[in-house]
Amino acid sequence: MNILVKNDFLSTEVSNFVRAKHYLFINNKKVLPRSGKTFDVLNPANGQKIAEAPEAGPEEVEDAVRAARAAFESGPWARMSPNDRGKLVWKFGELLEKYGDELAQIESLDNGKPVTYARNVDVAFSAELMRYMAGWSTKILGNSIPVSLPGDWHAYTLREPVGVCAQIIPWNFPLLMAAWKLAPALAAGCTIILKPAEQTPLSALRLADIIAEAGFPAGVVNILTGDGRVGAALVEHPDIDKVAFTGSTEVGKLIMKGATSNLKKVSLELGGKSPAIVFDDADLDVAIAGVANGIFFNSGQCCTAGSRIYAHKKIFDKLMAGLALEAGKAKLGLGLDPATTVGPLISDEQFGKVCGYLEAGRRDGAEVVAGGSRWGTEGYFVQPTVFAHTTPEMSVVREEIFGPVVCAMPFDDDDLESLARKANDTVYGLGASVWTRDIGRAHKMARRIKAGTVWINSHLPNDVALPFGGFKQSGFGREMGYEAIELYTHVKTVAASL
């Protein structure tokens, strides 16, 4: 393999890692697929090949499931105390922090995102989530239950790990999504087969070394890279107890169908078309910066991106002018450059999709306030774009674009029910934000919006203690907070006649 990875911003360690031969991680061993097949990993900043990743086949899926099952049923992991399990998860978080600069560079090279954001958001949040979930290992409780049966009874519940979990993660936050999935599952005592997106396998491959260094027993975490066929095989496998998926609604529906083979437990975090509602009393300086961040962060490739703006007509023009200025401030470029604030889209496919929406918006009569086209001559860059005076029937308003493109619509009254109908006029229900100085109105509006998370005077921030998930076709199940532990546990009832 002759792949050139030359960049002034890359450390020697990362350059050597990317150029090295890559392996699957099964039963704490690095293995090659029996087929010998690999697939190319591309740099979205220029479309060039940067690495080759191993392509798992049916045999490797079987090996990984077998290893995870053995570890769950009879290995050291199955006998480990909650305290010792928590110590391992905590150590995992500490190692993420230790190798944070390296992981941020890998993430930036592979995904295209700005390295400063990768370090300060993706890596930092991942480490903190591991430490937070480590604390739950010793606090997974059942209940003693008084019953009214005749006789003398002792009744209680236990909360036990669900078993072998397939975790399928997306390409927009590869490292962070791995942490979101791994941390609660490990804290609960499950075993895992992690399947990263084929566009962004590198951080997951680097995690294999970190998992081994942390000291997790063999078979507890297994990592398989490859395309959707690997994910489908895991979803349909009769010895998988749970599937956790983050990605598109379309694929989520297929996973639901595939999981019926043995009625395995499923949690889905899917698409979104999140509204940002800006009232005329909002602090515009705060709102402009926050709404801009809500759509342009990570090149708009966020499931909770604030891609629909409803702004009061009194401040609509000022808000549009402010967003145009924010879009103009964006520093597009190579994610590894510390000066970059907006990187490329993930792939040529996604680039074509977003450009198609830009064309559709103009064709349907949307006013282009900022951006509206590609940026540069190579790579998958799209200008931060603001469409004003869009209408509900436009495809740019109704469909998830997953790029730095926002659609804005004015409203001219303060009827909360009417605004809520507009905000809820979508098949999705993942996130929303309300911008106002009137705290009563803010909370009334939050109650009316059908979304898993509603921010007030902010958009996007998350905390490891806050449950995250969606309504409607944005999926079900909650990640982070104690609710994530519930995703990876069963409740068992014990009733003893005394």
Side-chain angles (χ1 to χ4, degrees):
M1 179 172 62
N2 182 21
I3 300 173
L4 180 64
V5 180
K6 182 179 180 182
N7 189 285
D8 293 338
F9 300 112
L10 276 184
S11 68
T12 301
E13 292 80 7
V14 172
S15 183
N16 290 340
F17 166 77
V18 173
R19 286 191 285 190
K21 192 175 186 66
H22 295 292
Y23 299 85
L24 306 171
F25 187 64
I26 300 174
N27 212 29
N28 274 22
K29 296 177 182 177
K30 291 185 174 183
V31 299
L32 293 173
R34 292 174 178 81
S35 67
K37 292 182 179 179
T38 62
F39 60 95
D40 293 345
V41 183
L42 306 182
N43 180 354
N46 55 26
Q48 295 179 6
K49 178 179 175 180
I50 54 173
E52 291 179 357
E55 185 175 304
E59 299 92 343
E60 289 74 45
V61 170
E62 289 297 331
D63 291 345
V65 174
R66 191 179 304 112
R69 176 58 62 189
F72 180 74
E73 299 289 353
S74 58
W77 185 249
R79 300 186 297 272
M80 189 173 290
S81 71
N83 187 55
D84 288 341
R85 193 168 67 239
K87 288 178 180 178
L88 280 181
V89 179
W90 183 282
K91 186 175 181 181
F92 195 172
E94 294 296 284
L95 290 173
L96 291 178
E97 194 65 59
K98 175 182 176 181
Y99 297 113
D101 293 341
E102 181 183 337
L103 289 166
Q105 287 189 15
I106 292 170
E107 202 78 334
S108 179
L109 180 65
D110 199 12
N111 169 275
K113 67 177 60 193
V115 68
T116 51
Y117 297 167
R119 183 65 180 88
N120 297 327
V121 178
D122 300 53
V123 174
F125 199 101
S126 297
E128 186 60 27
L129 183 60
M130 285 292 173
R131 291 187 284 256
Y132 173 83
M133 287 297 172
W136 279 116
S137 296
T138 55
K139 302 170 188 66
I140 301 173
L141 307 176
N143 291 298
S144 177
I145 303 174
V147 296
S148 300
L149 292 167
D152 197 2
W153 290 83
H154 174 46
Y156 59 95
T157 58
L158 300 171
R159 189 169 280 278
E160 300 179 341
V162 72
V164 178
C165 302
Q167 300 182 325
I168 304 171
I169 60 175
W171 44 255
N172 58 336
F173 291 93
L175 176 69
L176 184 55
M177 291 295 101
W180 279 32
K181 297 286 189 286
L182 290 169
L186 291 171
C190 296
T191 57
I192 299 149
I193 301 98
L194 180 72
K195 194 278 179 189
E198 59 266 36
Q199 297 89 343
T200 52
L202 295 182
S203 56
L205 293 172
R206 180 65 182 92
L207 281 180
D209 296 321
I210 295 173
I211 288 163
E213 183 176 345
F216 286 95
V220 173
V221 181
N222 307 272
I223 299 172
L224 301 180
T225 52
D227 61 19
R229 289 171 292 184
V230 178
L234 290 169
V235 169
E236 296 169 2
H237 200 288
D239 210 24
I240 295 288
D241 300 307
K242 172 182 168 56
V243 175
F245 171 74
T246 296
S248 71
T249 297
E250 292 72 21
V251 175
K253 292 177 180 179
L254 295 176
I255 286 173
M256 283 289 292
K257 292 178 181 178
T260 59
S261 60
N262 65 339
L263 295 179
K264 53 177 63 71
K265 193 172 183 179
V266 176
S267 57
L268 302 172
E269 195 264 281
L270 308 175
K273 194 71 179 176
S274 301
I277 303 169
V278 186
F279 288 94
D280 58 349
D281 68 337
D283 183 327
L284 276 188
D285 290 337
V286 172
I288 288 167
V291 171
N293 181 69
I295 185 60
F296 301 144
F297 179 73
N298 207 49
S299 302
Q301 296 172 132
C302 298
C303 50
T304 50
S307 54
R308 290 184 295 144
I309 298 173
Y310 298 92
H312 197 283
K313 67 176 183 178
K314 290 181 180 179
I315 50 91
F316 185 84
D317 290 342
K318 289 182 179 179
L319 182 65
M320 293 301 99
L323 289 177
L325 285 175
E326 291 295 318
K329 293 177 186 176
K331 303 293 185 184
L332 282 79
L334 183 71
L336 289 164
D337 184 344
T340 295
T341 61
V342 175
L345 300 177
I346 188 62
S347 65
D348 185 58
E349 178 184 4
Q350 186 65 16
F351 174 75
K353 175 186 173 184
V354 174
C355 288
Y357 278 112
L358 296 179
E359 181 180 347
R362 290 191 297 267
R363 183 181 64 244
D364 292 343
E367 176 189 343
V368 180
V369 174
S373 62
R374 74 170 297 166
W375 179 86
T377 58
E378 67 173 10
Y380 313 128
F381 292 90
V382 169
Q383 295 174 336
T385 297
V386 180
F387 282 135
H389 299 289
T390 51
T391 56
E393 67 275 6
M394 291 181 180
S395 62
V396 290
V397 173
R398 302 212 63 79
E399 299 171 18
E400 185 177 37
I401 299 173
F402 224 62
V405 183
V406 67
C407 303
M409 292 150 280
F411 65 87
D412 59 4
D413 63 62
D414 294 331
D415 179 54
L416 301 189
E417 295 296 339
S418 174
L419 272 174
R421 282 193 295 271
K422 293 175 181 178
N424 295 331
D425 185 19
T426 173
V427 299
Y428 301 111
L430 194 57
S433 60
V434 179
W435 303 81
T436 177
R437 288 185 171 95
D438 186 334
I439 197 66
R441 178 162 59 185
H443 287 290
K444 289 177 182 177
M445 199 69 212
R447 292 179 181 177
R448 288 167 169 80
I449 295 174
K450 296 176 181 178
T453 298
V454 179
W455 292 278
I456 295 174
N457 295 324
S458 66
H459 196 113
L460 284 188
N462 276 314
D463 185 89
V464 294
L466 294 175
F468 181 86
F471 292 2
K472 299 190 283 186
Q473 292 189 38
S474 288
F476 50 82
R478 293 296 180 267
E479 299 183 288
M480 300 190 296
Y482 181 71
E483 285 79 359
I485 296 294
E486 293 177 335
L487 282 185
Y488 291 96
T489 53
H490 287 308
V491 174
K492 176 186 287 183
T493 297
V494 179
S497 174
L498 305 181

